[in-house]
Amino acid sequence: MFDHINIPLILIAALLATASPGPSTLAIAGTAMAHGRLQALSLVAGIATGSWIWSISAALGLSAIMTANAWVFELLRYLGAGYLLFLAYKSTCSALSPAATKLRSVSSRSYRIAYGKGLAMHLTNPKAILFFGALYSVGVPASATSWEIASVVVLIGLQSMVVFATYALLFSNPRIVAIYLRLRRWLEAGFALAFGFAGIRLLSVKL
């Protein structure tokens, strides 16, 4: 069904980047803790919309560029590997830091405003921009068909929505929050190893 694309690899990479602590996930967690799950889910809807926008833009733009210029694929491959190694470094620093992760909330008077804040947050999030650029350049070769590219966009979008919504639901539970804060450094260490392995693997494998 997917002759040119490694779907499991793409989804695993997307899952790691989406689930790892960042501006969006920390905002969702903080909002769920401070204002409840409905506010957090409204924020999630906005963030997910921003994620779809970047995903579609990256898929269409990079596909056209790589078809016309094969060397761009190799360049973006190295940039993608560098970004993964950068994430590994950030996660390592966080794991070694004894300071607790700061969870910031996004409060609003209406769910519509919370949605707008989530959308604006993700559209201006450098992590999202770099991630989607790296993901499509690495996982989607120039030979991929339009149907395969569209399938990747849909699968990544649905997976991101599930992950973000899970954050909103979990962090509205005080017990889950306490467990997360207790295991934070171990989780960060796990993310560091995963990102580091993915980055090194990407540099060593011929695509």
Side-chain angles (χ1 to χ4, degrees):
M1 184 178 295
F2 295 97
D3 297 327
H4 307 98
I5 301 178
N6 190 333
I7 290 294
L9 178 62
I10 290 178
L11 291 180
I12 290 173
L15 178 62
L16 285 172
T18 304
S20 62
S24 297
T25 53
L26 295 179
I28 293 170
T31 301
M33 291 170 58
H35 306 287
R37 63 183 58 180
L38 292 181
Q39 280 279 353
L41 288 173
S42 299
L43 186 69
V44 165
I47 292 173
T49 301
S51 181
W52 281 97
I53 291 174
W54 281 126
S55 182
I56 293 172
S57 299
L60 296 178
L62 288 173
S63 175
I65 291 173
M66 288 188 297
T67 299
N69 304 279
W71 63 269
V72 175
F73 181 82
E74 281 298 307
L75 174 62
L76 292 177
R77 178 167 77 96
Y78 286 107
L79 291 176
Y83 177 62
L84 290 172
L85 294 176
F86 171 74
L87 290 179
Y89 168 75
K90 294 288 288 184
S91 294
T92 300
C93 292
S94 181
L96 296 176
S97 174
T101 301
K102 295 181 179 179
L103 301 176
R104 63 186 184 93
S105 66
V106 177
S107 61
S108 65
R109 298 178 182 179
S110 71
Y111 300 132
R112 181 180 299 178
I113 294 176
Y115 171 87
K117 289 183 176 181
L119 176 60
M121 180 189 306
H122 214 59
L123 288 179
T124 58
N125 182 4
K127 175 184 175 182
I129 300 171
L130 292 172
F131 167 71
F132 282 111
L135 183 69
Y136 282 97
S137 66
V138 171
V140 182
S143 57
T145 65
S146 298
W147 184 88
E148 288 175 325
I149 295 174
S151 299
V152 171
V153 171
V154 171
L155 290 173
I156 291 177
L158 293 176
Q159 179 177 260
S160 298
M161 291 174 63
V162 170
V163 171
F164 287 138
T166 300
Y167 263 93
L169 297 176
L170 288 178
F171 278 87
S172 60
N173 186 327
R175 292 184 178 179
I176 298 297
V177 175
I179 294 174
Y180 169 78
L181 293 177
R182 190 181 310 125
L183 299 178
R184 178 192 64 83
R185 299 179 70 180
W186 290 101
L187 293 173
E188 289 283 12
F191 283 125
L193 290 174
F195 283 130
F197 174 79
I200 294 173
R201 179 71 174 171
L202 183 57
L203 289 174
S204 62
V205 173
K206 289 186 177 182
L207 300 179

